[in-house]
Amino acid sequence: MTDIPPDHPRYESLLAREKVAAGVKMGFTSIQGLIAQGRGESFDYLLGERSTESALYAERAAVAALLLAENPVISVNGNVAALAPEKVVALADLTGAKIEVNLFHRTETRMHLIIEQLKACGASEVLGKNPDASLDLSHDRRLVESRGIYSADVVLVPLEDGDRCEKLVEMEKIVITIDLNPLSRTSRMATISIVDNLTRALGNMAKFAGEMRKERKDELVNLITSYDNKKVLSEAISEIQEHLKNLAAEVEY
Ligand code: ATP
């Protein structure tokens, strides 16, 4: 990986780009993952590269759902494994969630490399290698484990494609997504749509999980029952508009 000087004004963004590129070179991120990262970066620019109020609200609701779940599962793909494997493991530990690898461009080598990467970050068990159940999809993301994603009541699917998100919602699961694009099919389908950068979102969620797991159960239930995902998506779009208006005003003077 190229060394990025920490005082570079675009340090975080360049570091993330290096990590995804390194994931491709090491064989666990697909080449298409570079395009997905680029699309994410452009939406992050529009948002002002910050966790907005609506994102923080969705992140708290998501953590409440994970803490209350009977069988929470975090689904991991090649981009997530490249960008934030240690954050996935930390969040899984704090919420009691299982981790399952699920890939669109699935090969046995990629599955193995990602599982090893997560284990190197401290995961004791990673599901996904021995699928014994199937979602109603025509691509490899259908391959899941019965004690993981298939039976999960709450599933966190960061950087998801719209197809699988739709199927998981149809199965009446609480589906939490992390996607910088508030207009994507995924964001519009999910139960809880977090419009934030994966790295920031997982960091915030681990912090909230540490605090919220001491809270009373009814307080967590309240957070979920009062949660309004349509409002979150519309606010995310307004936050982009507001940010762009401010930038336009700066350019004028
Ligand atoms: P959909 O079917 O939901 O419309 P898509 O085809 O737009 O999905 P994909 O290429 O399947 O998108 O997935 C990439 C999505 O993940 C994009 O919407 C992109 O904005 C988002 N994304 C990529 N990198 C990040 C990141 N680091 N953090 C958050 N979101 C990201």
Side-chain angles (χ1 to χ4, degrees), residues 36-37 39-40 83 159 162 179-181 184-186 196-198:
Q37 173 67 13
R39 183 169 3 201
L83 285 166
L159 316 188
D179 187 338
L180 277 157
N181 178 3
S184 72
R185 290 182 64 234
T186 301
D196 200 356
N197 190 299
L198 173 86

Side-chain angles (χ1 to χ4, degrees), residues 143-157:
L143 301 170
V144 290
E145 293 209 19
S146 53
R147 65 196 181 92
I149 289 171
Y150 192 78
S151 63
D153 51 346
V154 176
V155 53
L156 168 60
V157 284

Side-chain angles (χ1 to χ4, degrees), residues 39-64:
R39 183 169 3 201
E41 279 181 9
S42 57
F43 277 98
D44 212 6
Y45 241 99
L46 300 181
L47 269 171
E49 296 177 307
R50 70 210 153 109
S51 297
T52 62
E53 283 304 313
S54 68
L56 293 168
Y57 168 57
E59 284 158 10
R60 279 184 202 282
V63 169

Side-chain angles (χ1 to χ4, degrees), residues 177-233:
T177 55
I178 302 174
D179 187 338
L180 277 157
N181 178 3
L183 308 171
S184 72
R185 290 182 64 234
T186 301
S187 290
R188 284 184 286 130
M189 299 266 169
T191 327
I192 300 178
S193 311
I194 297 171
V195 181
D196 200 356
N197 190 299
L198 173 86
T199 316
R200 291 196 303 268
L202 290 177
N204 293 337
M205 288 169 79
K207 179 173 155 276
F208 294 150
E211 296 160 5
M212 288 166 62
R213 63 192 194 147
K214 293 172 209 137
E215 281 177 24
R216 288 206 325 266
K217 194 176 164 189
D218 58 324
E219 287 175 322
L220 300 180
V221 171
N222 263 344
L223 242 173
I224 296 178
T225 45
S226 62
Y227 178 77
D228 182 346
N229 203 52
K230 287 204 174 98
K231 195 162 161 247
V232 162
L233 283 180

